[in-house]
Amino acid sequence: MKQFLLAVVITAHALLAQAVIETYQFDDDVKRERYQQFIQDLRCPKCQNQNLSGSNSPIAEDLRRELHRLLQEGKSDTEITQYMVARYGEFVLYRPPLNRDTVWLWFAPPVLLLIGAVVILMLLRRKNRTQVTAQLSAEQQQRLSQLLEEDDRLSARDKGDNK
Amino acid sequence: MGRLKLFLPLALVVILGVLFYSVVTRIGSGEYQPEALPSALVNHLFPSFTLPQLEDSQQQITEQSLQGEIAIVNVWATWCPSCHAEHGYLNSLAQAGVIKIVGINYKDTSGAAQHWLQEKGNPYVFNIFDQYGQLGLDLGVTGAPETFLIDHRGFVRLRYQGPLNEKIWQQKFRPVVEQLRAEQQSS
């Protein structure tokens, strides 16, 4: 019985994880697909790291309702995009357009990745070089063998002690 | 010199601590808003609309009512706790006669809103009843409270997301208001 209850609770919890709760009716399948595409490509102005599809804030609900209305009215993709941008600015486009302002947004991550890779390569190469030159000079080697001899003598003497 | 290097982590912690503290206090007072969106309406005409007046549902208001005088348009609702917090400040602004204040009652119920104003005081010259948030959507409103500053020709010149207080007024609004008054004088 306990296991059954646990299963029920877990399932109920999983149902809460739905992204969009409303179901809108559309005249035709093309409009429905455009709707699905739009709610992925538009950002929720309030929960700014989510698109309209994944956000349940009131403003996202309003924008989805508006999107449905615009599609049913027969507006084109460009008109709908312009409608949203005119009210919420370019930021509302989840996939930002490539222009002079957003060129850093698009190219900074791969450029930084490249710089990181170059830095790692350079560090590795330098590490290999220092390992090769980490050898003892002749003088240091002599001193090392002297110290080792002395150490052997001392430990041999200690071993001979009958304590 | 080697000794001094030991104090480097401590110095770093102190510097970062001061930095974080200043950021947190500035966010708390509303000066710094990392999530604020620049309004797409700035330097555009206030969007056209026809909506009933909150105080008298028979009266219809249009964007024409917002022309001719510099004003702030405050988006508020009874379900919004920050609006509760800023209301006192709006009352003091209205009493001091600093600027004309128009309200947009956003996605609210008329009865509750009017009751609220009766209880807490009414700083608004009039209120636009935007029951379904259509005007809010045309304004690019993301929530309440928000305040728009419009010039005498009906153009939006500034948008602030969040509750108004004296600090925000002095820092963000007053300089622009003075500029707008100068513009109005010279026109």
Side-chain angles (χ1 to χ4, degrees), chain B residues 15-166:
Chain B
I15 291 172
L16 283 179
V18 166
L19 192 71
F20 293 157
Y21 180 75
S22 79
V23 168
V24 166
T25 44
R26 284 182 68 213
I27 288 179
S29 71
E31 285 170 67
Y32 174 51
Q33 299 178 303
E35 79 288 358
L37 280 183
S39 168
L41 272 284
V42 170
N43 296 324
H44 287 74
L45 268 175
F46 199 91
S48 52
F49 65 92
T50 310
L51 287 170
Q53 186 180 350
L54 176 72
E55 294 87 351
D56 178 6
S57 53
Q58 307 288 31
Q59 282 274 48
Q60 295 288 326
I61 310 178
T62 70
E63 70 283 3
Q64 300 292 341
S65 319
L66 297 169
Q67 300 235 352
E69 205 179 328
I70 297 169
I72 52 172
V73 180
N74 176 251
V75 178
W76 65 276
T78 56
W79 45 257
C80 149
S82 302
C83 305
H84 200 72
E86 81 170 347
H87 198 82
Y89 183 68
L90 290 177
N91 280 339
S92 64
L93 265 187
Q95 259 178 359
V98 171
I99 194 166
K100 170 179 165 185
I101 309 181
V102 173
I104 300 179
N105 186 228
Y106 179 65
K107 296 173 81 172
D108 211 346
T109 42
S110 168
Q114 292 190 61
H115 185 70
W116 206 65
L117 290 176
Q118 275 158 20
E119 267 192 1
K120 294 156 65 73
N122 190 350
Y124 305 106
V125 172
F126 58 85
N127 279 290
I128 301 160
F129 187 49
D130 187 18
Q131 189 177 11
Y132 301 108
Q134 189 58 46
L135 176 57
L137 205 143
D138 287 339
L139 281 168
V141 165
T142 60
E146 284 192 18
T147 306
F148 294 81
L149 176 62
I150 51 176
D151 67 20
H152 68 282
R153 300 165 304 155
F155 280 79
V156 174
R157 301 300 285 268
L158 180 62
R159 185 269 289 264
Y160 181 72
Q161 293 166 300
L164 268 187
N165 57 45
E166 178 67 13

Side-chain angles (χ1 to χ4, degrees), chain A residues 4 7 15 17 24 35 41 43 48-50 54 74-75 78 85 96 112 115 122 132 141 143 157:
Chain A
F4 175 69
L15 289 176
Y24 285 114
Y35 176 82
D41 288 346
R43 185 194 305 268
Q48 294 166 354
N49 286 326
Q50 291 178 307
K75 297 279 189 283
T78 319
V85 171
L112 286 173
I115 292 175
M122 281 173 51
V132 167
Q141 214 147 28
R143 194 142 186 270
R157 194 187 63 188

